[in-house]
Amino acid sequence: MTVERTEEETVAFTVENGVAWVKFNRPEKRNCMSPKLNRQMKKVLEELEFRDDVQVLVLTGEGKAWSAGMDLQEYFRENEEKGLGAVRKAQRESYGWFERLRWYEKPTIAMINGWCFGGGYGPLFGCDIAIAAEDAQFGLSEINWGILPGGGASKVAQELMPFRKAMYHAMMGENLTGKQAEEQGLITEAVPADQLLARVTAIADVLKKKDGHALRATKWTMRRMVDMTYDNALDFQIRAQEALHSFGGAESRREATRQFLDEKSFKPGLGTFDTSKVTR
Ligand code: ACO
């Protein structure tokens, strides 16, 4: 199907009640990632990152797919015909926004509504929480068309899944349902398709009530620690907590402690303190 989209039209987004709903927007091409889409996604992520009306970002797909991976025509074939310079440029554009997402300053949720293949594992991993429809399909389909799962995809499977499952997944080219992806650790949770939006909205509502500075430091710490020794991780946590204090963390912590110890208005073991009372 031929639908001519401008670069801007490859990504759609709305901001509602503190949540930015960002969509891969090439449903006629199952939201596969073209260079245009990659450039536009980076722009959109950067535009939303420090907006005061955005507390949580959700990445989802228009139509039947989350993303059918890299665009075999526009990302691979056309750039390979142009030569190494074009190939590297396209790689940098896509890997660039995957990286931006991994270190995003706000919490992110992948809402996987359908197909998720190959290159799609980059942004899947970039999101902090991944909720899928039970009937979504996940695949490292690279082996089915004669390449290895590059662009981070095999690394994502190896990091998130038990090794035997990841190896089978990469070698066999068979898809996992949302339910199987949950069981094998690739995503956080799978829910029936008709409950997907409600579940993601409920998670976003919880995240919105947390202290944004603490969330930022928490997600970075979780990601950074992956290849650290225990002692290095401990040290990093001390530094990260102290750095957090420079950007609002000290006031949040003082107020939360006051609400628990003095005001007795909440219990940290049972919920979140009232962030609206923090004065900076
Ligand atoms: N690259 C380029 N075009 C694509 C891609 C893709 N990754 N995925 C889908 N399309 C196009 C199809 O060519 C088709 O275009 P056309 O209408 O011009 O013929 C259109 O999107 C619709 O696709 P269909 O195959 O007709 O849709 P269907 O719903 O039947 O199947 C499915 C969906 C299973 C996702 C199928 O399109 C598919 O296998 N896509 C490729 C998945 C894949 O292997 N991606 C690459 C992973 S490897 C990597 O990312 C490095």
Side-chain angles (χ1 to χ4, degrees):
M1 190 178 170
T2 310
V3 175
E4 284 304 326
R5 282 183 193 277
T6 62
E7 193 158 310
E8 264 190 12
E9 289 167 344
T10 58
V11 177
F13 71 90
T14 55
V15 176
E16 293 156 35
N17 301 322
V19 182
W21 299 89
V22 179
K23 281 186 176 178
F24 294 104
N25 193 37
R26 300 180 73 211
E28 67 286 349
K29 294 285 179 189
R30 304 300 177 260
N31 297 325
C32 65
M33 292 176 275
S34 61
K36 278 186 193 169
L37 183 146
N38 290 328
R39 286 193 289 272
Q40 185 61 20
M41 191 61 90
K42 180 132 186 285
K43 271 190 218 153
V44 167
L45 292 179
E46 283 174 349
E47 179 185 330
L48 293 168
E49 193 165 18
F50 293 105
R51 267 175 56 163
D52 290 340
D53 59 343
V54 175
Q55 291 166 277
V56 178
L57 184 136
V58 176
L59 181 59
T60 188
E62 182 63 43
K64 292 202 276 184
W66 195 68
S67 173
M70 307 319 292
D71 187 321
L72 270 65
Q73 173 66 22
E74 295 185 34
Y75 179 87
F76 285 114
R77 188 195 265 166
E78 289 177 12
N79 286 313
E80 281 158 17
E81 281 166 7
K82 287 183 203 153
L84 184 61
V87 169
R88 287 287 182 271
K89 180 170 182 294
Q91 287 169 336
R92 286 169 190 160
E93 285 166 350
S94 60
Y95 304 166
W97 79 262
F98 299 171
E99 185 201 15
R100 204 44 269 126
L101 196 57
R102 280 200 305 282
W103 301 106
Y104 211 61
E105 304 258 352
K106 305 239 164 105
T108 54
I109 306 172
M111 180 169 99
I112 306 106
N113 50 303
W115 305 110
C116 176
F117 284 108
Y121 282 29
L124 177 70
F125 183 59
C127 291
D128 306 318
I129 293 174
I131 310 295
E134 281 173 358
D135 59 0
Q137 296 271 319
F138 294 81
L140 287 181
S141 54
E142 285 88 341
I143 197 67
N144 293 342
W145 61 283
I147 67 166
L148 66 81
S154 42
K155 177 67 176 158
V156 172
Q158 176 256 310
E159 282 221 358
L160 296 181
M161 300 165 75
F163 184 76
R164 286 284 174 216
K165 298 290 186 191
M167 186 65 102
Y168 186 93
H169 191 50
M171 291 179 70
M172 295 294 284
E174 294 172 1
N175 295 340
L176 300 173
T177 61
K179 201 74 205 143
Q180 291 168 319
E182 175 192 319
E183 285 158 11
Q184 299 188 17
L186 185 60
I187 60 167
T188 314
E189 188 180 321
V191 297
D194 62 358
Q195 292 168 29
L196 183 62
L197 182 61
R199 178 67 181 127
V200 168
T201 305
I203 293 171
D205 284 345
V206 172
L207 291 171
K208 272 161 36 182
K209 294 199 183 86
K210 309 280 182 207
D211 182 69
H213 299 291
L215 272 178
R216 191 175 73 237
T218 298
K219 52 181 273 186
W220 284 345
T221 302
M222 291 300 288
R223 287 189 186 273
R224 287 279 176 219
M225 286 188 311
V226 168
D227 53 7
M228 287 182 190
T229 61
Y230 193 94
D231 283 340
N232 286 345
L234 263 187
D235 189 62
F236 179 83
Q237 289 163 13
I238 291 169
R239 314 286 149 208
Q241 181 60 45
E242 287 170 2
L244 175 62
H245 287 172
S246 322
F247 287 99
E251 293 84 351
S252 297
R253 183 181 185 166
R254 200 175 305 119
E255 173 58 21
T257 308
R258 189 191 68 77
Q259 288 178 22
F260 176 52
L261 292 183
D262 307 333
E263 198 176 85
K264 300 197 183 297
S265 55
F266 93 112
K267 293 177 194 285
L270 301 177
T272 306
F273 75 107
D274 181 354
T275 53
S276 70
K277 291 188 178 160
V278 179
T279 47
R280 302 201 195 282

